[in-house]
Amino acid sequence: MIPRMKSDESTDEMARALGEAGCLVVTNAFDAEVGAEISRAMRPHLDALPAEWIEKDDPDSFYPGYTRRAIAIIERAEAAWELVMHPISAVLCESHLGPNCERHQLHVTGALEVGPGARSQILHREEDPFPIFPLPRPNLIVASMWAISDFTAENGGTRLVPGSHRWSADRVHTPDEVVSATMPAGSVLYWLGGTLHGAGANVSATQRFGLILSYSVGWVRQEENQYLSITPETVAKLSEEMQALIGREAHDALGLFDPRIIQV
Ligand SMILES: O=C(O)CCC(=O)C(=O)O
C-alpha cells in the first residue's frame, strides 16, 4: 500500500511513512495555476521532439514509445522553481539523504507525458546507476513526481513496489506487489531511490502529465548535467540556496572552484 497524506500534515510523519513504505503520496501540494504554467512552458519542448522517437515502441527500450520527455526544467519552466524548492521535499531529503551527506543536490528534472498506447515502463530503481553498493543500498536518492494531470491506473500513473527499498538482490517482486500511484492533479508522489517503480501503461484516451524532480546525496554525479542545462543568465536569477541545490557549491572537498573566474 502507498501511504497518503495531506500537505498540511506533519512532515515528520511524512518522512517516517516514506522511510517505511519507500513511497508516499502527498495531496494538495501545489496550485493548478502552477501546473498550467509549467505545461505552457514545456509544451513547445515536448512538441518539438522528433515523431520517430515517439510514434514507435522498442519493447526492449527503457523508455516506452508514445511517451514525451523533456529535461532542463530550471531553464525552461520558471514556474517549477517553487516545486524544486518545495519545503516538503527539503524535509524529506534532509531526513533520508542528510545522514549520508553534507548537502543534497538536484539530480534530474523532467516533464513526462505518457500518451495513449504507451506500454508500462520496466520497473527499476533510481539508484541502479550505482551498482557498487549492494542491495539494499544506503539512501542516495529521493525522487518526486508532481501530478500536473490526474494520475490513474488507466492513464499511466506511476507503478511502485512498496517496501522494495529494503530488499536484497535475490528478492523478486510478484505481480500483486505492484501498486499504481493514483492521485489527483496537484498531488506529489515521493519515492526512495531503492524503491522499484516505473511509468504505467496508458490504456486511456488522455495524456498523463507529470514533472519528475529527484535529489541525490551531494557527492555523486548528478543524472542531469545542470551546468550544461542552465544558462548563466538563468543562474543569475536563482537564489543562493537554489544555486547550491543545482550543484554550484562545493560538497566538502568535491567541486572546488575559484569564484573569481565566473561570477554569477
Ligand atoms: O513516469 C513515471 O511515472 C516514472 C518515470 C521513471 O521512473 C523514469 O523516468 O525513470
Side-chain angles (χ1 to χ4, degrees):
M1 194 190 110
I2 304 174
R4 291 175 89 82
M5 296 183 68
K6 293 201 182 73
S7 59
D8 58 1
E9 290 186 71
S10 149
T11 47
D12 285 350
E13 185 51 27
M14 288 179 195
R16 197 204 57 74
L18 177 61
E20 187 64 28
C23 47
L24 167 73
V25 166
V26 178
T27 54
N28 302 104
F30 67 106
D31 290 340
E33 187 42 46
V34 172
E37 191 48 51
I38 294 169
S39 297
R40 275 194 289 277
M42 294 310 295
R43 192 71 260 156
H45 304 291
L46 293 164
D47 286 346
L49 295 169
E52 63 269 25
W53 290 8
I54 312 298
E55 289 162 10
K56 67 175 172 42
D57 183 46
D58 169 357
D60 296 325
S61 169
F62 180 70
Y63 294 122
Y66 310 102
T67 299
R68 291 176 188 268
R69 300 166 172 267
I71 61 170
I73 297 299
I74 305 278
E75 178 65 27
R76 291 168 162 168
E78 190 167 338
W81 294 3
E82 66 180 81
L83 305 189
V84 172
M85 300 297 287
H86 201 284
I88 294 177
S89 303
V91 170
L92 297 180
C93 287
E94 191 44 43
S95 169
H96 291 287
L97 304 180
N100 296 338
C101 63
E102 187 177 281
R103 148 187 28 259
H104 63 270
Q105 62 185 351
L106 191 61
H107 195 59
V108 70
T109 66
L112 294 183
E113 188 175 65
V114 177
R119 65 172 165 81
S120 55
Q121 186 183 24
I122 184 166
L123 297 179
H124 58 282
R125 294 179 163 96
E126 303 297 19
E127 289 161 359
D128 287 340
F130 307 108
I132 193 165
F133 295 103
L135 290 173
R137 301 187 177 105
N139 287 331
L140 305 174
I141 293 176
V142 170
S144 62
M145 175 66 78
W146 300 77
I148 294 176
S149 70
D150 291 339
F151 274 44
T152 68
E154 291 74 37
N155 77 1
T158 312
R159 300 182 316 142
L160 302 107
V161 183
S164 53
H165 60 306
R166 296 201 170 134
W167 292 359
S168 53
D170 55 1
R171 173 79 154 85
V172 178
H173 66 276
T174 56
D176 59 315
E177 289 176 308
V178 184
V179 186
S180 284
T182 56
M183 52 183 176
S187 309
V188 54
L189 163 71
Y190 289 99
W191 67 97
L192 296 178
T195 304
L196 282 167
H197 72 284
N202 189 340
V203 295
S204 78
T206 56
Q207 315 280 344
R208 187 223 77 178
F209 189 65
L211 187 71
I212 189 169
L213 301 174
S214 69
Y215 305 84
S216 52
V217 288
W219 44 267
V220 298
R221 178 85 200 259
Q222 289 154 294
E223 182 170 331
E224 181 184 12
N225 188 328
Q226 302 293 341
Y227 312 108
L228 297 181
S229 297
I230 308 175
T231 59
E233 293 73 28
T234 300
V235 170
K237 290 192 223 161
L238 304 179
S239 65
E240 268 182 41
E241 196 187 358
M242 198 162 169
Q243 290 193 20
L245 186 69
I246 64 170
R248 297 177 71 90
E249 196 57 72
H251 185 281
D252 198 355
L254 304 174
L256 293 181
F257 61 97
D258 185 333
R260 292 169 301 181
I261 296 176
I262 297 179
Q263 285 153 14
V264 282

